[in-house]
Amino acid sequence: MLDAPLTRGATTIGIGATGGLAFFLLNLPLPWVLGSLSASALVTQFSRFRPSLPPAWRSYAMVAIGTMLGTGFTPDVIARSGTWAVSLIVMTLLSIAFCLFAYATFRRWSDMNRQTALFAAMPGGLSVVTMLAEQHKTEVNRVVLCHTARLVVLLISAPLLIQWISGIDLADANRAAFEAPEALDLSGHGALALVAVASWFVAKLVRFPSVMLLLPLLSSAILHATGLVTVHVPITLSIIAQIVIGSGVGARFANYTFRQIARDGWLAALVGIVFAAGSLAGAYLIAPLAGGEVAPLFLAYLPGGAPELGVVALALMIDPAMVAAHHVLRVFLIVALLPYTAGRVSKRDSIIS
């Protein structure tokens, strides 16, 4: 019965929602993401059930998150977007440095070949990285495990470090959205829903990595930047999207044994810790020059998944538009540079062999 994709997906969401609710009641950080992630991951290792979600469900969540991130591009935010130039350059340089460090680490301390180490070292962009990894001589499972383990470290460390540097009360942040929910605006919410559905339909026809996130983000941003729409995505849909994202990350561990996780996971987690420390240091150094605050810069520099870290910015209301802009640029850089770099590495391996 549980083998049916829809039934398995619904059960996975139920497990994730239970974990999210438990984290919420315990006032733990990012409850709907980390709680669902933890519950899903634990089930993969301590039961015979293998959580998984139909691919379309993640697409729906990506559309919702992209739409939510787009609501942050208000006219005021657009007016100050010119001040992001320095920060965007720093993010690019940091991403390159992070990638080189991770590549050297995986080559030195694991038995990965050059191709696998390169793809495992990419600072985010898991969807495009996985797609391209399947076209090269890589161990795709190891690439996905390294990205997942590193992302888990970043998702756990981000809210704790943000609480430390900014004094945000995470328990208050968890409940803030429920205290004054936005009233339903039939015209505003209707227009936002229509644009989100249209973006999803167009995105299905476009073959481009992360388009399910980027196109709704752009469409929603245009609506809000022009002032045509000012409403936000309802909190219930936001929570469901977070549960889908968290449960999906946790479900990836179903493909691995403890031995496999121990082999590569610890090294990827260590890389994640270095990434978090480097991002925090970069944020502190650049904040005075860029005229920004440390917390949003830290989230912008963290080399993780755009949807997952975008959710962190949304949940804690830390300049989601600015954070999204940095992560979108990182995705485009990976799309532009990874195929060329992988080709060079592959050519070098052919010459050596």
Side-chain angles (χ1 to χ4, degrees):
M1 180 67 178
L2 290 179
D3 288 337
L6 291 180
T7 304
R8 185 178 294 274
T11 304
T12 300
I13 293 298
I15 292 169
T18 301
L21 180 60
F23 270 47
F24 178 78
L25 295 176
L26 293 171
N27 282 329
L28 296 176
L30 287 181
W32 305 109
V33 176
L34 294 182
S36 57
L37 188 159
S38 300
S40 182
L42 287 173
V43 166
T44 67
Q45 299 301 312
F46 294 102
S47 77
R48 294 183 178 180
F49 179 70
R50 292 293 175 260
S52 68
L53 299 174
W57 291 16
R58 178 174 169 83
S59 297
Y60 303 150
M62 295 270 278
V63 170
I65 291 169
T67 303
M68 287 188 286
L69 290 171
T71 64
F73 286 84
T74 62
D76 290 340
V77 170
I78 296 298
R80 65 179 176 83
S81 60
T83 64
W84 299 346
V86 172
S87 180
L88 288 168
I89 293 172
V90 171
M91 182 278 298
T92 301
L93 296 176
L94 269 177
S95 296
I96 294 172
F98 286 151
C99 183
L100 292 174
F101 168 78
Y103 176 79
T105 301
F106 290 137
R107 287 290 293 161
R108 174 65 179 83
W109 298 103
S110 76
D111 60 351
M112 293 181 189
N113 60 38
R114 287 186 178 87
Q115 295 274 19
T116 301
L118 173 65
F119 282 84
M122 283 295 109
L126 179 58
S127 59
V128 63
V129 168
T130 303
M131 180 182 69
L132 292 173
E134 293 172 346
Q135 302 170 13
H136 293 78
K137 296 178 180 179
T138 67
E139 299 174 82
V140 179
N141 268 3
R142 298 184 75 178
V143 171
V144 175
L145 174 60
C146 287
H147 278 262
T148 302
R150 188 175 72 216
L151 182 58
V152 169
V153 169
L154 296 180
L155 285 174
I156 293 173
S157 63
L160 299 177
L161 288 173
I162 286 172
Q163 183 177 37
W164 175 60
I165 62 181
S166 66
I168 292 176
D169 189 317
L170 297 179
D172 287 346
N174 290 344
R175 289 177 163 75
F178 293 96
E179 293 176 354
E182 187 177 59
L184 180 63
D185 181 334
L186 290 180
S187 60
H189 282 103
L192 193 60
L194 183 61
V195 168
V197 172
S199 298
W200 168 79
F201 182 78
V202 174
K204 288 179 63 178
L205 306 177
V206 177
R207 295 185 62 84
F208 186 83
S210 301
V211 69
M212 282 291 178
L213 175 77
L214 300 179
L215 189 57
L217 192 160
L218 177 61
S219 302
S220 176
I222 292 173
L223 283 180
H224 288 81
T226 56
L228 294 175
V229 172
T230 59
V231 298
H232 299 80
V233 173
I235 182 62
T236 302
L237 291 180
S238 172
I239 290 174
I240 293 173
Q242 292 178 59
I243 291 173
V244 170
I245 293 296
S247 299
V249 173
R252 292 178 198 159
F253 288 100
N255 299 321
Y256 308 102
T257 63
F258 274 122
R259 183 176 180 179
Q260 292 171 318
I261 294 172
R263 181 183 63 176
D264 292 328
W266 76 270
L267 193 57
L270 180 62
V271 168
I273 293 172
V274 174
F275 283 3
S279 299
L280 186 59
Y284 268 109
L285 290 172
I286 298 304
L289 299 177
E293 297 180 4
V294 173
L297 286 172
F298 168 60
L299 276 182
Y301 293 164
L302 277 179
E308 289 83 4
L309 293 176
V311 163
V312 177
L314 287 164
L316 301 179
M317 290 309 297
I318 298 177
D319 210 343
M322 192 272 281
V323 173
H326 284 67
H327 284 279
V328 167
L329 175 60
R330 184 183 285 114
V331 169
F332 277 105
L333 288 172
I334 292 173
V335 171
L337 299 178
L338 180 55
Y340 170 78
T341 307
R344 295 276 298 190
V345 171
S346 179
K347 185 176 180 180
R348 180 180 177 184
D349 286 344
S350 298
I351 293 174
I352 294 175
S353 61

